[in-house]
Amino acid sequence: MSWMNALLWWQWLVLAVVPPLIVLLYFLKLRRQPLVVPSTFLWTKTIEDMHVNSLWQRLRQNLLLFLQLLLVLLLMLACLRPGCQGVELQGDRFVFLIDQSASMSARDLGDRTRLEEAKLQVQQTIKRMKPRDVAMLISFSDRAEVVQSFTSDQNLLQRKLADVKQTQYKSDISEALLAASGLANPGRTATEASDVQVADSLPATLMIYSDGAVLLAQEILLGNLTPQYFPIGSPETPNNVGIVAFAIDDEGVADGKLEAYAQLQNSIDMDRQVQLSLTVDGNLLDAKTSPLLKAGATAGLSFDLSRLLGNITQPQRIKLSIEESDCYTLDNSVEIVLNPPRPRNVLVVTPGNDYLQLALQTEQIARIAKVEVRGRDFLSTPEYSERSNLGGYDLVIFDQCQPAVMPQCNTVFLGSIPNDPTWAWGEPVFPTAIIDFDRSHPVMFGVQLTQVMIIEGRPLTGPKGVQSLLEATYGSIMAIAPRSGFEDLVISFPLMSADEQGNPTINSNWPSQLSFPLFVSNVIQVLGGGSRLLAAQNVSPGEVTRLPMPQTVMQVQLKPPQGNRLLIQRTPSNEFVFSQTDQVGVYEARPSDADDALPVLFAVNLMDPRESDLLVREQLKLGDEQVAGDRSVQPARQEYWKWLVMAGLVVLVVEWLIYNRRVLL
């Protein structure tokens, strides 16, 4: 409580005279008018006058005197302007951006998480809004949600604020800023002549509540938005060591080697070591102490999993955990799924290509795939029709031939094109000179084609999404394109051809180059898969994943780490797509009509160095603008003199009612 003098000294002197004058008024003698009355009535009035002129008795019995003195006292207190320090909101339009990303679940503020602290601060700010102020709520992680559009209803804002929940997503403020800018700076809805003009843009205050561990993926024009940043989290260095990477290397499975690698990040301002445990399906496999983690640095370590190779018959859950607890538990453990080996089924349909068959008979390919070589007439058999339609093959290589119906798997066309109108090729061109090739695609990894010569090729065009891998002087001669969840690799030139007498002739020297068997191995690995112990792909929270299922399966039931089972239908693109990866942990999928079928497991892990670095940023960079963080509130006085004046008016009304009641009686 504080006081502010609102009057000058002489004004206080005048006001101080008022209470004594009120008291003196009660000593004034009443002017008597001559009136003939009975003597008995005269004696009664005389005794009453004696009581009127008695000061102490009057003070004990007259309520009006006390009410009048109380009124003057309240007015004097009001002139002292009592009040206390509060906060003042500048402006009348506010946009609250609340960070709900994974790092906001850290408990470095005592019992509250960072998100709970942010919501508390926003709640207090909403209470200080003036009746005509309007505000909007936007929550964000790596996506944004307009929780409540502009409204002056503070109760509605408070209810919507309570609905903001913690997520396990990464953080990207771009979409939130784009949403705020679009609502605060409205423009036209389209570019046609019939556009509808929306409301005029008005200045607004953008109030960002975050720990600053946000990513701005694109430049955003704030326009009429004036940003203010409120850092959420302890200003001291947080106590956190987290796992930011975990992967399994199965390259050496053929040699009996299997290893797991992890990376730890230390967010503390001091060197530290932690204890780690590695479990397989809940059973402890290994435990060790981490290397010394320097302050603010990362370090790696490895685990030997070779002992698992002997008995993997179904997917296994491998979990790495930090035993020590800290203020942020989301990065203290990660899980990964290790699938049992399964050789891929590869069908090669060829009129006879010794070079291709020789490249497919290497020891490496024999370890990763079962290769079946058939002639062209096999395409017309019921066996091929059934197996290709039911997903019996993982990859089919068509050498100078074309199926009537495309199989339900990935394909490679060598010297031919798919039976699909979206694919086309031109007339043969002689000679063919290679001018460029795409080294970034996995099937071209390590492949060198500078010494390759091609006698005859054809210009190639494909469907939407086609990617050219090999370019000649006249256009693409090797390309890959998607097809309903599969991929088709098309090579427009054959390795061998036949002359008019049917004798084989060489069309390219590529099979004699070391790059050819490497290319064939890449094709089997990328398009057909391999027999290594494949660690299931790690999925980030909120990321879309595709579930590998046989073609005969039309519906999948999926069990998340927590909650009820979900049913997923096969999409029109012939895939099972799942996007509700909101929880960190292992998800289990299996055909809905086969509870005893081998499940398909995949893991969702955060593993993000930005989210594990809990250091609160005191500045927020929004494009070219640096917004300084403000941990304090803007000081302003909460005035109480108005309430004192209101109380004085109440006292005055009570005094008037009592006085008139006595007169009337």
Side-chain angles (χ1 to χ4, degrees):
M1 179 72 72
S2 60
W3 307 84
M4 295 180 61
N5 188 6
L7 301 178
L8 299 176
W9 66 269
W10 62 269
Q11 294 172 329
W12 277 111
L13 185 60
V14 173
L15 187 59
V17 175
V18 174
L21 291 177
I22 293 176
V23 177
L24 288 175
L25 287 176
Y26 283 86
F27 288 96
L28 294 179
K29 294 182 179 180
L30 299 176
R31 176 175 293 182
R32 306 299 185 182
Q33 295 182 359
L35 185 65
V36 178
V37 295
S39 60
T40 56
F41 183 77
L42 181 61
W43 284 107
T44 303
K45 285 295 183 180
T46 302
I47 295 174
E48 185 178 344
D49 287 343
M50 292 178 61
H51 290 293
V52 170
N53 294 323
S54 176
L55 175 62
W56 300 111
Q57 188 175 5
R58 194 64 174 173
L59 290 177
R60 289 194 303 268
Q61 295 184 358
N62 198 313
L63 180 60
L64 295 178
L65 174 61
F66 290 105
L67 292 176
Q68 292 163 1
L69 292 177
L70 178 60
L71 174 62
V72 175
L73 177 61
L74 291 174
L75 294 177
M76 295 176 69
L77 291 176
C79 292
L80 289 174
R81 289 188 60 188
C84 65
Q85 294 295 327
V87 293
E88 180 181 14
L89 294 179
Q90 301 293 335
D92 55 2
R93 290 167 61 86
F94 307 96
V95 180
F96 298 106
L97 260 62
I98 306 171
D99 189 353
Q100 57 177 172
S101 62
S103 61
M104 295 294 287
S105 65
R107 292 186 178 273
D108 56 342
L109 297 171
D111 295 335
R112 295 193 304 274
T113 65
R114 291 181 175 182
L115 178 59
E116 292 170 346
E117 174 64 22
K119 292 170 63 175
L120 180 61
Q121 291 190 20
V122 174
Q123 183 184 38
Q124 294 173 348
T125 305
I126 292 175
K127 291 180 179 179
R128 299 183 184 106
M129 290 171 53
K130 296 182 285 292
R132 294 187 179 181
D133 291 350
V134 296
M136 174 173 59
L137 292 174
I138 299 178
S139 62
F140 73 93
S141 51
D142 59 353
R143 63 208 65 187
E145 178 186 0
V146 179
V147 180
Q148 176 59 49
S149 57
F150 279 117
T151 180
S152 60
D153 189 341
Q154 296 186 19
N155 292 329
L156 178 60
L157 288 170
Q158 298 283 12
R159 292 197 302 270
K160 293 296 185 178
L161 176 64
D163 294 337
V164 176
K165 305 298 182 184
Q166 179 69 58
T167 71
Q168 297 178 344
Y169 301 154
K170 300 178 182 179
S171 181
D172 186 345
I173 200 173
S174 303
E175 188 175 334
L177 291 178
L178 189 63
S181 178
L183 293 172
N185 306 296
R188 302 186 69 86
T189 57
T191 58
E192 302 295 333
S194 59
D195 290 351
V196 177
Q197 184 69 37
V198 297
D200 294 334
S201 58
L202 296 173
T205 302
L206 180 67
M207 309 181 76
I208 305 172
Y209 295 83
S210 171
D211 55 14
V214 298
L215 177 67
L216 183 59
Q218 57 180 313
E219 297 294 332
I220 304 295
L221 296 178
L222 296 180
N224 289 319
L225 292 174
T226 302
Q228 293 182 3
Y229 169 48
F230 300 92
I232 304 298
S234 173
E236 301 177 357
T237 304
N239 176 23
N240 182 58
V241 173
I243 305 171
V244 296
F246 185 52
I248 292 180
D249 180 14
D250 53 7
E251 290 286 348
V253 168
D255 300 326
K257 296 181 180 179
L258 184 66
E259 289 185 301
Y261 296 92
Q263 188 176 46
L264 307 179
Q265 178 174 283
N266 181 16
S267 298
I268 313 173
D269 58 356
M270 59 181 294
D271 299 348
R272 187 179 174 188
Q273 287 182 299
V274 294
Q275 298 293 323
L276 297 110
S277 62
L278 185 73
T279 61
V280 178
D281 290 337
N283 300 316
L284 182 64
L285 180 69
D286 196 1
K288 61 175 58 178
T289 302
S290 72
L292 184 64
L293 298 168
K294 297 293 184 180
T298 60
L301 70 161
S302 63
F303 296 87
D304 186 8
L305 306 181
S306 300
R307 71 188 77 173
L308 298 178
L309 293 177
N311 56 355
I312 297 183
T313 58
Q314 59 183 2
Q316 296 189 346
R317 300 171 55 168
I318 299 179
K319 182 176 183 180
L320 178 64
S321 303
I322 297 176
E323 297 302 320
E324 290 87 348
S325 61
D326 50 38
C327 65
Y328 184 55
T329 60
L330 196 57
D331 60 0
N332 284 358
S333 64
V334 295
E335 289 188 85
I336 199 167
V337 177
L338 193 64
N339 293 314
R342 184 182 75 86
R344 297 308 194 248
N345 296 317
V346 178
L347 172 66
V348 181
V349 183
T350 176
N353 190 330
D354 295 337
Y355 298 111
L356 178 60
Q357 294 183 47
L358 184 63
L360 289 169
Q361 292 174 1
T362 63
E363 182 180 351
Q364 180 182 7
I365 292 181
R367 291 198 304 263
I368 65 176
K370 292 181 179 179
V371 180
E372 179 183 355
V373 181
R374 295 295 188 104
R376 294 177 180 175
D377 55 351
F378 181 68
L379 297 178
S380 59
T381 63
E383 180 185 355
Y384 167 77
S385 178
E386 180 180 359
R387 293 184 63 183
S388 63
N389 290 331
L390 297 179
Y393 300 111
D394 299 297
L395 175 65
V396 178
I397 300 177
F398 297 98
D399 180 23
Q400 303 178 71
C401 59
Q402 183 186 74
V405 179
M406 293 294 289
Q408 296 299 303
C409 64
N410 296 331
T411 63
V412 176
F413 285 82
L414 184 59
S416 59
I417 61 174
N419 186 13
D420 188 328
T422 59
W423 284 97
W425 60 0
E427 294 297 326
V429 178
F430 170 84
T432 295
I434 296 175
I435 61 174
D436 192 18
F437 56 93
D438 187 350
R439 299 171 178 83
S440 63
H441 197 277
V443 300
M444 303 295 288
F445 179 74
V447 177
Q448 294 294 330
L449 301 176
T450 55
Q451 303 297 324
V452 173
M453 294 182 295
I454 301 170
I455 297 176
E456 186 178 270
R458 296 189 180 197
L460 186 66
T461 59
K464 182 179 180 181
V466 66
Q467 180 181 356
S468 178
L469 302 182
L470 187 60
E471 292 282 338
T473 54
Y474 50 81
S476 175
I477 56 176
M478 182 192 299
I480 189 169
R483 170 182 52 89
S484 300
F486 304 114
E487 288 187 293
D488 300 319
L489 175 64
V490 180
I491 304 172
S492 67
F493 60 92
L495 300 178
M496 299 177 60
S497 59
D499 57 17
E500 296 179 355
Q501 289 76 29
N503 299 319
T505 60
I506 304 250
N507 190 55
S508 173
N509 71 335
W510 192 14
S512 65
Q513 304 289 321
L514 293 176
S515 61
F516 183 70
L518 177 59
F519 172 77
V520 174
S521 177
N522 288 346
V523 168
I524 301 299
Q525 290 280 3
V526 175
L527 299 181
S531 64
R532 298 180 307 177
L533 290 169
L534 297 177
Q537 178 186 6
N538 180 65
V539 180
S540 298
E543 185 179 355
V544 176
T545 185
R546 289 167 174 79
L547 306 176
M549 286 287 174
Q551 295 298 315
T552 55
V553 177
M554 302 306 298
Q555 183 176 259
V556 170
Q557 60 174 343
L558 189 140
K559 180 182 178 182
Q562 297 178 357
N564 299 324
R565 294 179 181 268
L566 306 172
L567 291 179
I568 306 173
Q569 306 293 334
R570 188 179 290 274
T571 65
S573 60
N574 201 32
E575 298 175 296
F576 287 101
V577 179
F578 182 66
S579 60
Q580 302 177 37
T581 55
D582 303 327
Q583 306 174 26
V584 169
V586 174
Y587 293 69
E588 179 182 306
R590 66 178 74 233
S592 59
D593 56 351
D595 292 337
D596 56 345
L598 193 66
V600 174
L601 305 181
F602 66 93
V604 175
N605 296 292
L606 181 62
M607 290 195 294
D608 184 82
R610 180 184 293 272
E611 296 298 321
S612 293
D613 185 3
L614 298 184
L615 184 65
V616 180
R617 283 69 168 176
E618 297 299 332
Q619 285 190 336
L620 191 63
K621 185 176 181 180
L622 302 179
D624 296 332
E625 184 175 359
Q626 289 279 0
V627 183
D630 185 8
R631 290 184 176 272
S632 61
V633 293
Q634 187 174 357
R637 284 181 55 81
Q638 296 286 347
E639 300 283 0
Y640 297 147
W641 65 270
K642 298 178 181 179
W643 297 103
L644 294 175
V645 173
M646 292 290 294
L649 291 176
V650 172
V651 172
L652 182 62
V653 170
V654 172
E655 192 269 347
W656 181 82
L657 291 174
I658 294 175
Y659 174 78
N660 282 277
R661 184 171 179 273
R662 287 186 176 185
V663 171
L664 293 176
L665 293 177

